PDB file of all heavy atoms in Angstrom:
ATOM      1  N   ASP A 233     132.685  91.192  93.118  1.00  0.00           N
ATOM      2  CA  ASP A 233     131.519  91.894  92.584  1.00  0.00           C
ATOM      3  C   ASP A 233     130.496  90.899  92.048  1.00  0.00           C
ATOM      4  O   ASP A 233     129.752  91.196  91.115  1.00  0.00           O
ATOM      5  CB  ASP A 233     131.919  92.894  91.505  1.00  0.00           C
ATOM      6  CG  ASP A 233     132.588  92.241  90.302  1.00  0.00           C
ATOM      7  OD1 ASP A 233     132.706  90.978  90.275  1.00  0.00           O
ATOM      8  OD2 ASP A 233     132.992  92.973  89.377  1.00  0.00           O
ATOM      9  N   ASP A 234     130.452  89.714  92.682  1.00  0.00           N
ATOM     10  CA  ASP A 234     129.514  88.672  92.245  1.00  0.00           C
ATOM     11  C   ASP A 234     128.687  88.131  93.408  1.00  0.00           C
ATOM     12  O   ASP A 234     128.162  87.019  93.338  1.00  0.00           O
ATOM     13  CB  ASP A 234     130.269  87.527  91.565  1.00  0.00           C
ATOM     14  CG  ASP A 234     131.277  86.843  92.501  1.00  0.00           C
ATOM     15  OD1 ASP A 234     131.525  87.384  93.610  1.00  0.00           O
ATOM     16  OD2 ASP A 234     131.806  85.779  92.132  1.00  0.00           O
ATOM     17  N   THR A 235     128.536  88.922  94.472  1.00  0.00           N
ATOM     18  CA  THR A 235     127.759  88.470  95.620  1.00  0.00           C
ATOM     19  C   THR A 235     126.287  88.880  95.475  1.00  0.00           C
ATOM     20  O   THR A 235     125.912  89.612  94.561  1.00  0.00           O
ATOM     21  CB  THR A 235     128.314  89.072  96.927  1.00  0.00           C
ATOM     22  OG1 THR A 235     128.020  90.485  96.949  1.00  0.00           O
ATOM     23  CG2 THR A 235     129.812  88.854  97.042  1.00  0.00           C
ATOM     24  N   GLY A 236     125.485  88.451  96.432  1.00  0.00           N
ATOM     25  CA  GLY A 236     124.070  88.813  96.425  1.00  0.00           C
ATOM     26  C   GLY A 236     123.826  90.296  96.599  1.00  0.00           C
ATOM     27  O   GLY A 236     122.746  90.795  96.267  1.00  0.00           O
ATOM     28  N   ALA A 237     124.829  91.025  97.102  1.00  0.00           N
ATOM     29  CA  ALA A 237     124.681  92.464  97.302  1.00  0.00           C
ATOM     30  C   ALA A 237     124.665  93.242  95.991  1.00  0.00           C
ATOM     31  O   ALA A 237     124.360  94.439  95.991  1.00  0.00           O
ATOM     32  CB  ALA A 237     125.816  92.991  98.184  1.00  0.00           C
ATOM     33  N   GLU A 238     124.975  92.584  94.884  1.00  0.00           N
ATOM     34  CA  GLU A 238     124.963  93.261  93.581  1.00  0.00           C
ATOM     35  C   GLU A 238     123.549  93.496  93.077  1.00  0.00           C
ATOM     36  O   GLU A 238     123.344  94.210  92.100  1.00  0.00           O
ATOM     37  CB  GLU A 238     125.733  92.428  92.541  1.00  0.00           C
ATOM     38  CG  GLU A 238     127.206  92.234  92.864  1.00  0.00           C
ATOM     39  CD  GLU A 238     127.993  93.536  92.808  1.00  0.00           C
ATOM     40  OE1 GLU A 238     127.758  94.335  91.877  1.00  0.00           O
ATOM     41  OE2 GLU A 238     128.830  93.756  93.696  1.00  0.00           O
ATOM     42  N   ARG A 239     122.558  92.904  93.751  1.00  0.00           N
ATOM     43  CA  ARG A 239     121.163  93.067  93.355  1.00  0.00           C
ATOM     44  C   ARG A 239     120.326  93.353  94.595  1.00  0.00           C
ATOM     45  O   ARG A 239     120.781  93.142  95.717  1.00  0.00           O
ATOM     46  CB  ARG A 239     120.664  91.798  92.641  1.00  0.00           C
ATOM     47  CG  ARG A 239     121.342  91.570  91.293  1.00  0.00           C
ATOM     48  CD  ARG A 239     121.116  90.185  90.741  1.00  0.00           C
ATOM     49  NE  ARG A 239     121.714  89.145  91.544  1.00  0.00           N
ATOM     50  CZ  ARG A 239     123.015  88.868  91.582  1.00  0.00           C
ATOM     51  NH1 ARG A 239     123.873  89.586  90.874  1.00  0.00           N
ATOM     52  NH2 ARG A 239     123.477  87.901  92.346  1.00  0.00           N
ATOM     53  N   THR A 240     119.100  93.812  94.387  1.00  0.00           N
ATOM     54  CA  THR A 240     118.203  94.093  95.504  1.00  0.00           C
ATOM     55  C   THR A 240     116.784  93.671  95.152  1.00  0.00           C
ATOM     56  O   THR A 240     116.415  93.598  93.974  1.00  0.00           O
ATOM     57  CB  THR A 240     118.264  95.592  95.883  1.00  0.00           C
ATOM     58  OG1 THR A 240     117.649  95.783  97.156  1.00  0.00           O
ATOM     59  CG2 THR A 240     117.546  96.460  94.852  1.00  0.00           C
ATOM     60  N   LEU A 241     115.997  93.401  96.167  1.00  0.00           N
ATOM     61  CA  LEU A 241     114.615  92.966  95.965  1.00  0.00           C
ATOM     62  C   LEU A 241     113.792  94.084  95.338  1.00  0.00           C
ATOM     63  O   LEU A 241     113.788  95.214  95.825  1.00  0.00           O
ATOM     64  CB  LEU A 241     114.011  92.561  97.315  1.00  0.00           C
ATOM     65  CG  LEU A 241     112.546  92.107  97.319  1.00  0.00           C
ATOM     66  CD1 LEU A 241     112.353  90.860  96.476  1.00  0.00           C
ATOM     67  CD2 LEU A 241     112.086  91.861  98.763  1.00  0.00           C
ATOM     68  N   ALA A 242     113.078  93.757  94.265  1.00  0.00           N
ATOM     69  CA  ALA A 242     112.271  94.766  93.569  1.00  0.00           C
ATOM     70  C   ALA A 242     110.989  94.144  93.037  1.00  0.00           C
ATOM     71  O   ALA A 242     110.966  92.987  92.606  1.00  0.00           O
ATOM     72  CB  ALA A 242     113.059  95.388  92.421  1.00  0.00           C
ATOM     73  N   PHE A 243     109.925  94.953  93.084  1.00  0.00           N
ATOM     74  CA  PHE A 243     108.654  94.641  92.430  1.00  0.00           C
ATOM     75  C   PHE A 243     108.605  95.512  91.183  1.00  0.00           C
ATOM     76  O   PHE A 243     108.735  96.736  91.267  1.00  0.00           O
ATOM     77  CB  PHE A 243     107.492  94.989  93.362  1.00  0.00           C
ATOM     78  CG  PHE A 243     106.136  95.049  92.703  1.00  0.00           C
ATOM     79  CD1 PHE A 243     105.370  93.920  92.542  1.00  0.00           C
ATOM     80  CD2 PHE A 243     105.626  96.262  92.250  1.00  0.00           C
ATOM     81  CE1 PHE A 243     104.107  93.981  91.951  1.00  0.00           C
ATOM     82  CE2 PHE A 243     104.377  96.340  91.663  1.00  0.00           C
ATOM     83  CZ  PHE A 243     103.612  95.193  91.512  1.00  0.00           C
ATOM     84  N   VAL A 244     108.441  94.894  90.019  1.00  0.00           N
ATOM     85  CA  VAL A 244     108.436  95.644  88.761  1.00  0.00           C
ATOM     86  C   VAL A 244     107.133  95.387  88.018  1.00  0.00           C
ATOM     87  O   VAL A 244     106.745  94.238  87.794  1.00  0.00           O
ATOM     88  CB  VAL A 244     109.640  95.270  87.864  1.00  0.00           C
ATOM     89  CG1 VAL A 244     109.612  96.089  86.577  1.00  0.00           C
ATOM     90  CG2 VAL A 244     110.951  95.502  88.604  1.00  0.00           C
ATOM     91  N   ALA A 245     106.442  96.475  87.671  1.00  0.00           N
ATOM     92  CA  ALA A 245     105.218  96.413  86.872  1.00  0.00           C
ATOM     93  C   ALA A 245     105.434  97.218  85.597  1.00  0.00           C
ATOM     94  O   ALA A 245     106.360  98.030  85.502  1.00  0.00           O
ATOM     95  CB  ALA A 245     104.035  96.967  87.658  1.00  0.00           C
ATOM     96  N   GLU A 246     104.577  97.005  84.631  1.00  0.00           N
ATOM     97  CA  GLU A 246     104.707  97.718  83.357  1.00  0.00           C
ATOM     98  C   GLU A 246     104.182  99.143  83.485  1.00  0.00           C
ATOM     99  O   GLU A 246     103.168  99.387  84.151  1.00  0.00           O
ATOM    100  CB  GLU A 246     103.932  96.976  82.268  1.00  0.00           C
ATOM    101  CG  GLU A 246     104.134  97.561  80.872  1.00  0.00           C
ATOM    102  CD  GLU A 246     103.444  96.761  79.782  1.00  0.00           C
ATOM    103  OE1 GLU A 246     102.935  95.653  80.087  1.00  0.00           O
ATOM    104  OE2 GLU A 246     103.402  97.228  78.630  1.00  0.00           O
ATOM    105  N   LEU A 247     104.877 100.078  82.841  1.00  0.00           N
ATOM    106  CA  LEU A 247     104.461 101.482  82.866  1.00  0.00           C
ATOM    107  C   LEU A 247     103.379 101.720  81.813  1.00  0.00           C
ATOM    108  O   LEU A 247     103.628 102.216  80.720  1.00  0.00           O
ATOM    109  CB  LEU A 247     105.668 102.396  82.631  1.00  0.00           C
ATOM    110  CG  LEU A 247     105.403 103.913  82.612  1.00  0.00           C
ATOM    111  CD1 LEU A 247     104.648 104.357  83.850  1.00  0.00           C
ATOM    112  CD2 LEU A 247     106.699 104.682  82.479  1.00  0.00           C
ATOM    113  N   VAL A 248     102.158 101.310  82.157  1.00  0.00           N
ATOM    114  CA  VAL A 248     100.986 101.553  81.312  1.00  0.00           C
ATOM    115  C   VAL A 248      99.842 101.953  82.236  1.00  0.00           C
ATOM    116  O   VAL A 248      99.833 101.637  83.427  1.00  0.00           O
ATOM    117  CB  VAL A 248     100.592 100.318  80.476  1.00  0.00           C
ATOM    118  CG1 VAL A 248     101.602 100.079  79.368  1.00  0.00           C
ATOM    119  CG2 VAL A 248     100.453  99.086  81.352  1.00  0.00           C
ATOM    120  N   ALA A 249      98.859 102.644  81.692  1.00  0.00           N
ATOM    121  CA  ALA A 249      97.807 103.253  82.508  1.00  0.00           C
ATOM    122  C   ALA A 249      97.053 102.241  83.354  1.00  0.00           C
ATOM    123  O   ALA A 249      96.767 102.496  84.528  1.00  0.00           O
ATOM    124  CB  ALA A 249      96.835 104.021  81.605  1.00  0.00           C
TER     125      ALA A 249
END
Side-chain angles (χ1 to χ4, degrees):
D233 61 2
D234 61 350
T235 70
E238 298 294 318
R239 293 166 295 285
T240 194
L241 178 62
F243 165 86
V244 181
E246 186 176 352
L247 179 52
V248 288

